[in-house]
Amino acid sequence: GDLHVRALCDLLDQGQPAVSHHLALMKHDDLVELRREGKHNFYRILPKKMQEMLGLIFAAAPESPDSIRFADYQLSYTPIEDDDE
């Protein structure tokens, strides 16, 4: 669902300027959608665009096409066939 910028700051333990900057970059690339409510901005991930981006990242990963290791973290990706395609 939609999250307010402040909630994202709290979840990410980051300051508002940094979170807003990253959200603006993600919005520019159509990865998130913005909804304004008064003075407040709410964002939500656009699943199709995020899926496309993750597919490109994993396709370019040198280790494995389904996982990437970042220091103490491992990110795994298993594409799910879409009935719409």
Side-chain angles (χ1 to χ4, degrees), residues 60-69:
E63 307 96 27
S64 168
D66 61 353
S67 68
I68 300 173
R69 180 171 284 287

Side-chain angles (χ1 to χ4, degrees), residues 1-84:
D2 297 357
L3 282 177
H4 182 271
V5 173
R6 187 74 242 156
L8 288 167
C9 293
D10 292 343
L11 282 171
L12 299 169
D13 195 27
Q14 297 290 315
Q16 184 272 327
V19 171
S20 291
H21 174 73
H22 287 99
L23 286 168
L25 294 173
M26 292 174 73
K27 184 178 180 309
H28 178 268
D29 290 331
D30 296 323
L31 296 173
V32 296
E33 184 174 72
L34 166 69
R35 176 177 61 85
R36 288 186 70 72
E37 192 173 295
K39 299 186 299 184
H40 303 286
N41 293 331
F42 293 83
Y43 290 86
R44 72 177 190 92
I45 290 176
L46 296 173
K48 287 273 191 194
K49 289 291 190 169
M50 190 62 72
Q51 180 179 346
E52 290 171 16
M53 183 194 68
L54 285 172
L56 291 171
I57 290 169
F58 279 92
E63 307 96 27
S64 168
D66 61 353
S67 68
I68 300 173
R69 180 171 284 287
F70 298 98
D72 294 337
Y73 299 94
Q74 182 167 328
L75 181 62
S76 298
Y77 173 66
T78 305
I80 299 172
E81 294 297 323
D82 190 359
D83 294 336
D84 295 339

